[in-house]
Amino acid sequence: MEVIIRPDKEKATDLVAKIIAKAVQHKPGLVLGLATGNTMEPLYAELAAIHRDEKLDFSLCRTFNLDEYVGLKAEHRNSYRHYMNEHLFSKINIDIRNTHLPSGTARDLDSECEKYEQKIKECGGIDLQLLGIGKSGHIGFNEPLSAFFSRTRVKALTPTTIAQNSPLFEKPEDMPKRAITMGVGTILDAKRIVTLVLGKAKSEILAKAVEGPVTSMVSASALQLHPKCVVITDEE
Ligand code: GLP
């Protein structure tokens, strides 16, 4: 695992944008794993700016998001599909049919999870997976004690995650308590992983993830096992 510390949030975010832009230039049909959360908003704005100003071409890219809330329709303003359309997909020239998120409203959630894994396989696997880390140490929504071999499935969210994400909901109590998420095993199968973690509030969990023991108590510590993982962070 390589850890790169940039002086501030902007420089760390710019570096991740450059890495993604270079990967897309190098392989126009890149299979890109995507994440959500506040950390990613400036990153997606930067990618949209690179597309606008430097004509970065996403037309052949395929994307797979890490997770989606169970029970939220795609149109719900707090769904991750809505987040991705708003922050990235509507601002670049990607074919929306090539963008994938699990459906949180599928009638059969288990079969939705299996289909998601299958689709990733059919696309040849994820070339570059972008990740953030939640305060509980989760990657995707792999809460503590997620098996390192886990695949896409439904997970119950922990009180820490509910406390972190519920303020984004109009009525915080409406935040779903379950989500579909790629498993830790699914994430570790990506050929390359780029993790962006910013700010003081994440410093303690980041230290556990990169310097602590590899343990399912901190899902992000599984990244230490990946042969090609870079963590980009700021001084704070
Ligand atoms: C959510 C997502 C994670 C993301 C995390 C961090 O819980 N499921 O994939 O890494 O938020 O979010 P933020 O960047 O807002 O701290």
Side-chain angles (χ1 to χ4, degrees):
M1 174 191 273
E2 185 186 5
V3 180
I4 300 177
I5 303 170
R6 304 291 282 140
D8 55 43
K9 289 183 181 169
E10 290 70 30
K11 291 204 173 69
T13 303
D14 277 1
L15 178 58
V16 175
K18 284 206 181 82
I19 291 172
I20 294 175
K22 222 171 153 192
V24 175
Q25 277 158 356
H26 181 73
K27 184 176 178 183
L30 194 79
V31 181
L32 190 54
L34 294 173
T36 52
N38 293 327
T39 311
M40 302 304 161
E41 290 180 20
L43 171 68
Y44 292 150
E46 184 54 27
L47 284 176
I50 299 177
H51 163 70
R52 191 190 56 226
D53 302 337
E54 297 166 34
K55 307 279 169 280
L56 181 64
D57 182 11
F58 288 91
S59 61
L60 297 175
C61 273
R62 287 152 302 163
T63 68
F64 286 90
N65 265 78
L66 286 164
D67 44 20
E68 179 60 282
Y69 288 114
V70 168
L72 294 194
K73 290 200 179 117
E75 311 79 59
H76 191 287
R77 59 183 279 270
N78 289 108
S79 78
Y80 284 163
R81 165 53 81 180
H82 185 273
Y83 170 107
M84 289 310 304
N85 288 350
E86 179 176 320
H87 292 289
L88 187 65
F89 299 152
S90 63
K91 304 210 163 119
I92 58 175
N93 66 332
I94 197 156
D95 182 340
I96 204 76
R97 290 169 302 182
N98 288 337
T99 67
H100 304 281
L101 284 95
S103 165
T105 54
R107 238 188 300 151
D108 183 342
L109 292 173
D110 290 341
S111 109
E112 175 66 13
C113 296
E114 266 172 48
K115 275 194 265 167
Y116 203 63
E117 287 277 335
Q118 193 54 37
K119 245 185 270 168
I120 295 174
K121 233 187 248 160
E122 280 162 17
C123 285
I126 291 171
D127 292 311
L128 191 163
Q129 177 67 55
L130 172 67
L131 286 183
I133 296 182
K135 281 188 192 147
S136 68
H138 69 211
I139 45 177
F141 269 132
N142 291 286
E143 298 287 34
L145 294 176
S146 291
F148 282 4
F149 292 114
S150 52
R151 312 302 306 185
T152 303
R153 69 215 184 292
V154 175
K155 278 299 279 182
L157 304 176
T158 58
T160 308
T161 298
I162 293 169
Q164 190 189 337
N165 291 7
S166 61
L168 301 171
F169 285 72
E170 210 173 328
K171 287 197 215 135
E173 64 275 17
D174 284 351
M175 178 182 154
K177 308 293 181 288
R178 292 185 307 155
I180 294 184
T181 180
M182 281 187 201
V184 179
T186 320
I187 293 169
L188 291 180
D189 279 351
K191 290 161 201 148
R192 185 178 174 198
I193 297 178
V194 178
T195 310
L196 178 63
V197 189
L198 301 174
K200 197 160 177 51
K202 297 276 179 75
S203 59
E204 211 175 302
I205 194 67
L206 180 60
K208 283 189 186 151
V210 303
E211 295 169 336
V214 174
T215 164
S216 61
M217 282 306 291
V218 180
S219 297
S221 69
L223 300 174
Q224 294 180 33
L225 304 173
H226 194 278
K228 222 172 162 200
C229 173
V230 56
V231 176
I232 296 169
T233 188
D234 59 332
E235 287 282 357
E236 267 197 326

